[in-house]
Amino acid sequence: MHSPAQRPRVTLFSLGGTISMEGAAGSGVVPKLDANDLLVGIPHLAAVAQVAGETVSKAPSVELGFADIAALADRIRAAVAGGAAGVVVTQGTDTLEETAYLLDLLLDLAEPVVVTGAMRDPTKPGAEGPANLAAAIRVAASPAARDLGVVAVMNDEVHAARYVAKRHTHKTSAFGSESAGPLGWVVEDRVRIAFRPAERSPTIAWKGAPPRVVLLPIVFGGDLQSLHDLTRGPLGGMVVEAVGGGHAPSAMAGALGDLAAKIPVVLATRVGAGETLTKTYGYGGGEIDLLGRGLIGAGVLDARKARLLLSLLLGAGASREEIAETFARASA
Ligand code: ASP
């Protein structure tokens, strides 16, 4: 056991979400608790780390935006520069996978940065917020979790930001990394990192609000109108959330190619696991056709994460070649 002065310092930034919610029966819960309220639920963690709480916001996570997370990245850098051995961010689970990946792209720290939340609000029996926060603090304080990039800790599992996604609307086991599996887990008082990502995500400089990047979902029986509707108004880029390994109706292929000649168009998949293909299907609208028309494969990045990477790259003024090259590295 460390003496109090030897305990690693961890900074907790709370943004809101279900983990922080309270409310009366019938009217629904809303974010109310601040960072120090959250720490009250885990007094035993004082023996693991000296945790300093900072309340950033009390919001449902769907209210968060790029500028909020860029500002949070600055605060995380400052906390680490000030001596924090690790950082925990609590927020709503609805967009947790996006915040985690945005921070992963914005930060280049060796210190663990851990995002967590809760599926059950504190008024529910079995609310797991304190357990998730305790596990997240253990990971943030652990030397074993250094150099992993940003991770999400939920349900005692450690997930890389690049892969993690919410896959269920209410189960406490909602989070998973379908394409890669979790990096590790927390058991008793131990943090076990079983696997390390082969490469860190690229780091992209924040240069202000990125241009608009839209998602085009490809659906059964879909038509060109949805593409035309989305391209009205100023547009910096598009991510096609294609079916299967990266496929769209042949009737859309020409228009997608025309668009890709003007702005970056990234080809992702709606499947939820696995990479976009590159050389399997030869029919019109298949991945070979679409990539040949200038679309950029998202690889293992799902459409939401591909949108974040493309947005940051566009915001940083990257050229089309730089965007394609970064996607090739980030999506491997
Ligand atoms: N609606 C909540 C939010 O994302 C869900 C949660 O936190 O689990 O803010």
Side-chain angles (χ1 to χ4, degrees):
M1 174 96 41
H2 296 302
S3 72
Q6 291 171 321
R7 280 173 211 147
R9 283 165 54 194
V10 170
T11 305
L12 163 65
F13 294 103
S14 70
L15 274 57
T18 293
I19 193 168
S20 72
M21 293 198 190
E22 287 187 334
S27 56
V29 292
V30 293
K32 285 214 171 125
L33 304 179
D34 64 23
N36 290 322
D37 295 328
L38 298 181
L39 291 171
V40 170
I42 48 169
H44 64 291
L45 259 288
V48 173
Q50 307 172 61
V51 187
E54 294 189 26
T55 305
V56 179
S57 59
K58 294 183 184 176
S61 66
V62 76
E63 297 295 334
L64 299 169
F66 282 95
D68 300 313
I69 302 308
L72 176 64
D74 286 341
R75 289 177 72 162
I76 291 172
R77 275 188 216 99
V80 167
V87 169
V88 173
V89 176
T90 57
Q91 73 150 83
T93 62
D94 290 350
T95 65
L96 191 152
E97 66 206 57
E98 276 136 314
T99 298
Y101 189 53
L102 261 182
L103 289 174
D104 199 34
L105 294 172
L106 291 169
L107 294 170
D108 185 18
L109 297 171
E111 289 75 8
V113 176
V114 184
V115 187
T116 193
M119 297 297 295
R120 293 183 183 150
D121 68 74
T123 70
K124 295 235 166 41
E128 87 287 22
N132 284 346
L133 180 55
I137 290 171
R138 284 193 192 282
V139 173
S142 170
R146 289 174 64 86
D147 291 310
L148 289 177
V150 175
V151 296
V153 170
M154 294 291 288
N155 203 29
D156 285 340
E157 292 181 339
V158 182
H159 295 273
R162 195 190 317 174
Y163 295 109
V164 72
K166 183 174 181 175
R167 307 160 306 170
H168 199 279
T169 56
H170 50 85
K171 281 187 184 174
T172 55
S173 58
F175 281 78
S177 300
E178 291 301 326
S179 293
L183 301 179
W185 54 87
V186 180
V187 55
E188 298 176 330
D189 57 359
R190 298 186 298 285
V191 173
R192 188 72 66 201
I193 302 300
F195 309 103
R196 307 188 74 84
E199 269 190 64
R200 292 273 298 260
S201 294
T203 308
I204 320 277
W206 172 254
K207 302 239 175 97
R212 182 169 161 256
V213 174
V214 292
L215 280 193
L216 172 69
I218 302 297
V219 292
F220 173 82
D223 60 25
L224 263 177
Q225 191 55 45
S226 51
L227 176 60
H228 296 320
D229 291 347
L230 275 176
T231 50
R232 279 200 210 107
L235 193 58
M238 174 182 278
V239 177
V240 181
E241 192 171 38
V243 296
H247 314 136
S250 56
M252 292 177 109
L256 286 170
D258 291 346
L259 190 63
K262 296 185 208 130
I263 58 171
V265 180
V266 173
L267 182 64
T269 168
R270 69 177 191 175
V271 172
E275 302 189 22
T276 46
L277 302 176
T278 60
K279 50 187 178 190
T280 298
Y281 291 102
Y283 52 79
E287 83 280 356
I288 295 175
D289 181 24
L290 296 176
L291 296 173
R293 292 175 189 269
L295 277 70
I296 298 165
V300 296
L301 297 178
D302 68 24
R304 297 179 293 282
K305 293 192 203 278
R307 172 180 165 264
L308 300 178
L309 177 58
L310 180 55
S311 298
L312 287 190
L313 285 167
L314 288 168
S319 66
R320 196 198 173 285
E321 288 66 36
E322 288 165 334
I323 290 170
E325 197 262 328
T326 307
F327 264 89
R329 276 192 295 123
S331 62

